[in-house]
Amino acid sequence: MVDEQLKKEWLESVGTEESPFGLEENADLLRRLRKPEGKIDAVLDTDTYNEIDDQYALAYMINSDEKINLEAIYAAPFTNCKSDGPRDGMEKSYEEIRHVLRLMDREDLMDRVFRGSGEYLPDEKTPVISEAAKDLADRAMHYTREHPLYVVAIAAITNVASAILLRPEITQRIVLVWLGGNALDWPNNREYNLYQDIAGARVIFECKVPLVQLPCMGVVSAFTVSGPELKAHLKGRNPLCDYLVDFTEQEALACGGGRTWSRPIWDVTAVGWLLDGELMSDRIEYAPLPEYDNRYSQRKNSHFYKYVYYINRDNLLEDLVKKLTRQEKR
């Protein structure tokens, strides 16, 4: 039976007890989509060499060890001017993850880094086999609905979708937090993490895994940092902070930033959703379906998912600075 608290959350979210997907099934998703209490196990899927914000997110997750046990780090594929294709992007991300770990004096985590997919999903039924996909498929089987593994994904979703296609039963053992797609009311859904592997995105929106979406344009695009802030709060604090400040400034200037530039570091928000404190706001929605023509199909007959619609920029930035500067330069 559905308890009264869940029924209240349901009514506050969608205003009716009716759902073609089913009351019990959606009530179960509501339970599993609640913010986690206590310390949790998590993995991170990241295209770390793609920009600069993945490095912030990786370091933030590592230094949030009061809340998160980081069990594995997966290198994700990407394609842009920094790579010759998805495999090259994944390999460069794998090396960048290791570079960040060295800057943080965290070589103890090196054996938790796994190479991911060298290509995107060819269709919605065929997984791309990789170390990362196999590790996630196997690792998740050690968890339960009551004590899930949290999967934080901040890249094309190929590795995660492949793991689900390899072992569909892991959807009952994980909670997926994905930064991808644009806001539901954005004029289009042509977003980098999504359009590289639309087939993969459709897998995760269709498989009924407990899914938390952090949309890019229109929501997490509000999470930016400026040059003066970086220099005031991070410069000179430790080798990692110096690297982040210098690299972020290079990226901003390369993209045409002027004297008053700011830079989105939105990947950080996916880690922030797991943490305690007033860092962002979310709501329950019916899961849409990303289409191949850069739009969503809005559906009122699907399962529930959680949609982040607001980032408390100042609170999140304050927590990020505190975590990144934990280790002073020696």
Side-chain angles (χ1 to χ4, degrees):
M1 295 294 292
V2 180
D3 64 42
E4 291 303 313
Q5 177 59 32
L6 283 170
K7 188 173 290 187
K8 179 181 178 183
E9 291 178 25
W10 176 298
L11 291 172
E12 288 176 350
S13 300
V14 297
T16 177
E17 293 185 15
E18 298 179 4
S19 170
F21 181 62
L23 184 62
E24 291 291 343
E25 294 89 345
N26 267 329
D28 179 59
L29 283 172
L30 282 178
R31 290 187 191 95
R32 297 162 67 198
L33 284 168
R34 286 172 171 167
K35 289 287 290 288
E37 297 180 358
K39 200 163 185 177
I40 59 171
D41 290 350
V43 298
L44 179 66
D45 187 68
T46 163
D47 55 352
T48 325
Y49 195 77
N50 168 41
E51 281 192 279
I52 183 62
D53 49 346
D54 291 79
Q55 289 90 331
Y56 285 87
L58 172 59
Y60 188 37
M61 197 164 183
I62 291 170
N63 282 353
S64 294
D65 53 359
E66 79 290 344
K67 180 71 177 183
I68 300 171
N69 294 314
L70 181 55
E71 298 293 331
I73 308 165
Y74 305 135
F78 74 89
T79 305
N80 63 15
C81 62
K82 289 188 172 184
S83 77
D84 295 330
R87 184 174 301 279
D88 182 53
M90 181 277 295
E91 287 288 348
K92 287 176 175 174
S93 293
Y94 177 82
E95 293 301 331
E96 183 69 358
I97 292 166
R98 294 166 61 83
H99 178 54
V100 171
L101 294 181
R102 286 190 289 269
L103 287 171
M104 299 180 72
D105 290 329
R106 293 303 307 267
E107 285 87 350
D108 59 300
L109 297 176
M110 290 292 189
D111 62 354
R112 303 186 191 186
V113 184
F114 296 85
R115 287 181 168 88
S117 305
E119 57 187 294
Y120 306 116
L121 261 64
D123 55 56
E124 297 171 31
K125 299 183 181 298
T126 308
V128 179
I129 308 301
S130 68
E131 292 178 0
K134 290 190 292 185
D135 181 82
L136 178 56
D138 293 340
R139 187 181 300 274
M141 293 302 295
H142 298 286
Y143 294 83
T144 66
R145 299 162 77 89
E146 293 75 24
H147 299 286
L149 175 67
Y150 287 83
V151 180
V152 179
I154 52 177
I157 202 66
T158 312
N159 293 335
V160 180
S162 295
I164 289 171
L165 290 171
L166 285 170
R167 283 186 184 265
E169 59 267 39
I170 69 171
T171 60
Q172 305 300 313
R173 301 166 184 266
I174 66 174
V175 174
L176 174 58
V177 183
W178 184 45
L179 185 140
N182 288 331
L184 294 176
D185 58 354
W186 197 254
N188 65 70
N189 198 31
R190 184 169 173 77
E191 184 278 320
Y192 184 71
N193 287 350
L194 189 147
Y195 73 67
Q196 291 183 102
D197 193 344
I198 298 176
R202 287 170 64 87
V203 168
I204 67 165
F205 274 87
E206 281 280 74
C207 70
K208 301 177 179 62
V209 66
L211 172 64
V212 181
Q213 182 191 17
L214 291 103
C216 293
M217 295 307 299
V219 180
V220 302
S221 51
F223 190 63
T224 62
V225 67
S226 68
E229 287 175 309
L230 288 177
K231 290 178 179 177
H233 298 303
L234 299 186
K235 189 69 174 177
R237 303 301 293 271
N238 57 50
L240 171 73
C241 288
D242 286 345
Y243 175 67
L244 293 175
V245 172
D246 293 343
F247 193 6
T248 307
E249 185 172 31
Q250 291 171 19
E251 288 279 303
L253 295 177
C255 294
R259 293 177 60 189
T260 59
W261 65 266
S262 64
R263 184 75 180 168
I265 51 171
W266 48 22
D267 283 346
V268 169
T269 63
V271 178
W273 187 84
L274 295 174
L275 305 179
D276 301 325
E278 297 181 1
L279 304 181
M280 60 193 68
S281 300
D282 55 44
R283 65 176 184 258
I284 295 295
E285 292 275 358
Y286 291 109
L289 184 64
E291 298 288 358
Y292 288 94
D293 60 357
N294 301 321
R295 65 181 181 87
Y296 290 111
S297 284
Q298 302 283 2
R299 308 178 295 176
K300 296 297 184 182
N301 62 348
S302 65
H303 57 284
F304 283 168
Y305 86 125
K306 186 156 278 189
Y307 176 85
V308 174
Y309 64 88
Y310 169 73
I311 304 298
N312 189 323
R313 184 263 185 191
D314 291 351
N315 285 6
L316 183 57
L317 185 60
E318 181 178 356
D319 193 55
L320 176 66
V321 168
K322 179 178 70 175
K323 302 285 180 58
L324 295 184
T325 58
R326 177 177 292 171
Q327 179 186 358
E328 300 291 335
K329 180 182 270 187
R330 300 174 198 170

